Amino acid sequence: MATPRTDQPAAWWRPLANGQVACDLCPIGCRLREGQTGPCATRANRHGVMEPLHYGRIVSAGVDPIEKKPLYHFYPGRSILSVAAPGCNLHCLFCQNWTISQNGDARTTEASPEDLVRKALDEDSVGIAFTYSEPLVWFEFVRDTARLARQAGLKNVLVTNGFLNPEPLAELLPWIDAANVDLKAMDPVFYRKVCKAQLPPVLAAIRQFYDAGVHLEVTNLIIPGHNDTDAQLSELVDFVAELDPRIPLHFSAYRPAWKMDAPATPRETLLRAYELATRKLNWVYLGNVSAEVGRSSVCGGCGEVLVDRGRNRGISRLTASGQCPKCATQQPFKF
Ligand code: SF4
């Protein structure tokens, strides 16, 4: 592997008086004193200059079925090289990946953008997914790797909390092919108290992904007693439906983790969410649960199975031009 240049300059920051620096990457808008690290654990003030701490540092890597991201309408059945750095700008009490997202000192290995592109090509991966922790605060490395990956004919995927300022997101979006954005609730109080963040920038980012023509899917982790009432779920479904009822929405079961000890999501709650969402959305899926619905993709016209996900990996039955094999209705899948 090539030795990555880990001394890359940070983007989206400004020097201030007295050796402080301002970060313009995410809506938290940190002002960091000399030696101070941001709460995302990815950026620090070193001698009056913002330093991206994890450029070329990989905390987790694997080749996953693309369905695991989850992306159900983007190259079904293909594998994707999936990578992460430590850190996140949210601090959700229920974080399911807290051992890497909330631990800036997690052990890493080094890799350059060239290394990742070569590995993705060697693995016959459809592209590179920046996932597991929060890729948007790994900004510089994601941008540089995604550019190279695009030149090599690979696809770039973000699995993200969507909590970034619009200007840096606009810089990144031309290199991004698909995204799954985690919409945690439609409740500003939930975002403030449970995630230490704000809801409006996330909604704005979802619209920005959509308007830029990025393939978009949305995930909602349902936590009993926190975001699981019919009213809360309906508000979230309405937001997605108003944007585009063809956007796939994934409801996922929560399990107690990190600082949250609410009980695991009952299967009945996911089925209730599914029933409610399918009244307004064309594509609704259930994750982390065994259920008869919400797994395979079924043609709305004739009921034929389009993508079978009996196991983790999808098996596409779409025609070569993306139509239902039975009734020939054109389907909104990228492949
Ligand atoms: S990216 Fe990190 S350092 Fe920058 S504003 Fe957000 S939390 Fe602060």
Side-chain angles (χ1 to χ4, degrees), residues 6-17:
T6 51
D7 59 345
Q8 296 289 318
W12 299 102
W13 68 278
R14 291 167 286 129
L16 299 173

PDB file of all heavy atoms in Angstrom, residues 6-17:
ATOM      1  N   THR A   6      -0.870  12.125   5.241  1.00  0.00           N
ATOM      2  CA  THR A   6      -1.837  12.439   6.293  1.00  0.00           C
ATOM      3  C   THR A   6      -1.731  13.901   6.727  1.00  0.00           C
ATOM      4  O   THR A   6      -2.361  14.319   7.680  1.00  0.00           O
ATOM      5  CB  THR A   6      -1.612  11.523   7.502  1.00  0.00           C
ATOM      6  OG1 THR A   6      -0.240  11.573   7.852  1.00  0.00           O
ATOM      7  CG2 THR A   6      -1.990  10.095   7.185  1.00  0.00           C
ATOM      8  N   ASP A   7      -0.898  14.675   6.001  1.00  0.00           N
ATOM      9  CA  ASP A   7      -0.734  16.082   6.377  1.00  0.00           C
ATOM     10  C   ASP A   7      -1.511  16.993   5.417  1.00  0.00           C
ATOM     11  O   ASP A   7      -1.118  18.121   5.166  1.00  0.00           O
ATOM     12  CB  ASP A   7       0.749  16.459   6.368  1.00  0.00           C
ATOM     13  CG  ASP A   7       1.385  16.231   4.989  1.00  0.00           C
ATOM     14  OD1 ASP A   7       0.752  15.530   4.163  1.00  0.00           O
ATOM     15  OD2 ASP A   7       2.486  16.745   4.757  1.00  0.00           O
ATOM     16  N   GLN A   8      -2.581  16.489   4.860  1.00  0.00           N
ATOM     17  CA  GLN A   8      -3.371  17.284   3.914  1.00  0.00           C
ATOM     18  C   GLN A   8      -3.998  18.488   4.620  1.00  0.00           C
ATOM     19  O   GLN A   8      -4.381  18.386   5.782  1.00  0.00           O
ATOM     20  CB  GLN A   8      -4.479  16.420   3.325  1.00  0.00           C
ATOM     21  CG  GLN A   8      -3.984  15.260   2.493  1.00  0.00           C
ATOM     22  CD  GLN A   8      -3.398  15.719   1.174  1.00  0.00           C
ATOM     23  OE1 GLN A   8      -3.946  16.585   0.521  1.00  0.00           O
ATOM     24  NE2 GLN A   8      -2.274  15.149   0.795  1.00  0.00           N
ATOM     25  N   PRO A   9      -4.171  19.611   3.905  1.00  0.00           N
ATOM     26  CA  PRO A   9      -4.824  20.767   4.536  1.00  0.00           C
ATOM     27  C   PRO A   9      -6.317  20.509   4.707  1.00  0.00           C
ATOM     28  O   PRO A   9      -6.930  19.806   3.913  1.00  0.00           O
ATOM     29  CB  PRO A   9      -4.576  21.902   3.536  1.00  0.00           C
ATOM     30  CG  PRO A   9      -4.321  21.225   2.230  1.00  0.00           C
ATOM     31  CD  PRO A   9      -3.731  19.876   2.539  1.00  0.00           C
ATOM     32  N   ALA A  10      -6.889  21.085   5.728  1.00  0.00           N
ATOM     33  CA  ALA A  10      -8.337  20.986   5.943  1.00  0.00           C
ATOM     34  C   ALA A  10      -9.056  21.966   5.027  1.00  0.00           C
ATOM     35  O   ALA A  10      -8.502  22.997   4.630  1.00  0.00           O
ATOM     36  CB  ALA A  10      -8.668  21.290   7.395  1.00  0.00           C
ATOM     37  N   ALA A  11     -10.274  21.633   4.703  1.00  0.00           N
ATOM     38  CA  ALA A  11     -11.147  22.541   3.956  1.00  0.00           C
ATOM     39  C   ALA A  11     -12.139  23.186   4.924  1.00  0.00           C
ATOM     40  O   ALA A  11     -12.339  22.703   6.027  1.00  0.00           O
ATOM     41  CB  ALA A  11     -11.897  21.752   2.884  1.00  0.00           C
ATOM     42  N   TRP A  12     -12.734  24.270   4.517  1.00  0.00           N
ATOM     43  CA  TRP A  12     -13.856  24.884   5.228  1.00  0.00           C
ATOM     44  C   TRP A  12     -13.517  25.287   6.660  1.00  0.00           C
ATOM     45  O   TRP A  12     -14.161  24.865   7.611  1.00  0.00           O
ATOM     46  CB  TRP A  12     -15.088  23.966   5.175  1.00  0.00           C
ATOM     47  CG  TRP A  12     -15.508  23.733   3.761  1.00  0.00           C
ATOM     48  CD1 TRP A  12     -15.272  22.627   2.987  1.00  0.00           C
ATOM     49  CD2 TRP A  12     -16.196  24.663   2.910  1.00  0.00           C
ATOM     50  NE1 TRP A  12     -15.758  22.801   1.728  1.00  0.00           N
ATOM     51  CE2 TRP A  12     -16.346  24.040   1.651  1.00  0.00           C
ATOM     52  CE3 TRP A  12     -16.705  25.965   3.095  1.00  0.00           C
ATOM     53  CZ2 TRP A  12     -16.973  24.673   0.575  1.00  0.00           C
ATOM     54  CZ3 TRP A  12     -17.333  26.580   2.028  1.00  0.00           C
ATOM     55  CH2 TRP A  12     -17.458  25.931   0.793  1.00  0.00           C
ATOM     56  N   TRP A  13     -12.478  26.137   6.775  1.00  0.00           N
ATOM     57  CA  TRP A  13     -12.170  26.724   8.075  1.00  0.00           C
ATOM     58  C   TRP A  13     -11.572  28.105   7.842  1.00  0.00           C
ATOM     59  O   TRP A  13     -11.162  28.443   6.722  1.00  0.00           O
ATOM     60  CB  TRP A  13     -11.191  25.842   8.859  1.00  0.00           C
ATOM     61  CG  TRP A  13      -9.808  25.798   8.255  1.00  0.00           C
ATOM     62  CD1 TRP A  13      -9.394  25.021   7.217  1.00  0.00           C
ATOM     63  CD2 TRP A  13      -8.673  26.610   8.622  1.00  0.00           C
ATOM     64  NE1 TRP A  13      -8.089  25.270   6.913  1.00  0.00           N
ATOM     65  CE2 TRP A  13      -7.612  26.243   7.765  1.00  0.00           C
ATOM     66  CE3 TRP A  13      -8.453  27.590   9.597  1.00  0.00           C
ATOM     67  CZ2 TRP A  13      -6.356  26.838   7.857  1.00  0.00           C
ATOM     68  CZ3 TRP A  13      -7.197  28.177   9.687  1.00  0.00           C
ATOM     69  CH2 TRP A  13      -6.160  27.799   8.818  1.00  0.00           C
ATOM     70  N   ARG A  14     -11.559  28.915   8.909  1.00  0.00           N
ATOM     71  CA  ARG A  14     -10.992  30.269   8.832  1.00  0.00           C
ATOM     72  C   ARG A  14     -10.140  30.529  10.070  1.00  0.00           C
ATOM     73  O   ARG A  14     -10.526  30.116  11.174  1.00  0.00           O
ATOM     74  CB  ARG A  14     -12.112  31.321   8.839  1.00  0.00           C
ATOM     75  CG  ARG A  14     -12.963  31.364   7.607  1.00  0.00           C
ATOM     76  CD  ARG A  14     -14.208  32.203   7.839  1.00  0.00           C
ATOM     77  NE  ARG A  14     -15.171  31.510   8.676  1.00  0.00           N
ATOM     78  CZ  ARG A  14     -15.757  32.013   9.758  1.00  0.00           C
ATOM     79  NH1 ARG A  14     -15.445  33.217  10.190  1.00  0.00           N
ATOM     80  NH2 ARG A  14     -16.637  31.311  10.452  1.00  0.00           N
ATOM     81  N   PRO A  15      -9.007  31.240   9.889  1.00  0.00           N
ATOM     82  CA  PRO A  15      -8.250  31.651  11.080  1.00  0.00           C
ATOM     83  C   PRO A  15      -8.968  32.808  11.776  1.00  0.00           C
ATOM     84  O   PRO A  15      -9.588  33.651  11.129  1.00  0.00           O
ATOM     85  CB  PRO A  15      -6.908  32.102  10.494  1.00  0.00           C
ATOM     86  CG  PRO A  15      -7.189  32.461   9.074  1.00  0.00           C
ATOM     87  CD  PRO A  15      -8.364  31.647   8.636  1.00  0.00           C
ATOM     88  N   LEU A  16      -8.898  32.826  13.101  1.00  0.00           N
ATOM     89  CA  LEU A  16      -9.465  33.918  13.889  1.00  0.00           C
ATOM     90  C   LEU A  16      -8.337  34.599  14.666  1.00  0.00           C
ATOM     91  O   LEU A  16      -7.174  34.176  14.601  1.00  0.00           O
ATOM     92  CB  LEU A  16     -10.510  33.365  14.878  1.00  0.00           C
ATOM     93  CG  LEU A  16     -11.719  32.655  14.281  1.00  0.00           C
ATOM     94  CD1 LEU A  16     -12.558  32.033  15.384  1.00  0.00           C
ATOM     95  CD2 LEU A  16     -12.569  33.621  13.448  1.00  0.00           C
ATOM     96  N   ALA A  17      -8.699  35.616  15.435  1.00  0.00           N
ATOM     97  CA  ALA A  17      -7.694  36.296  16.260  1.00  0.00           C
ATOM     98  C   ALA A  17      -7.211  35.351  17.362  1.00  0.00           C
ATOM     99  O   ALA A  17      -7.856  34.350  17.669  1.00  0.00           O
ATOM    100  CB  ALA A  17      -8.318  37.550  16.874  1.00  0.00           C
TER     101      ALA A  17
END
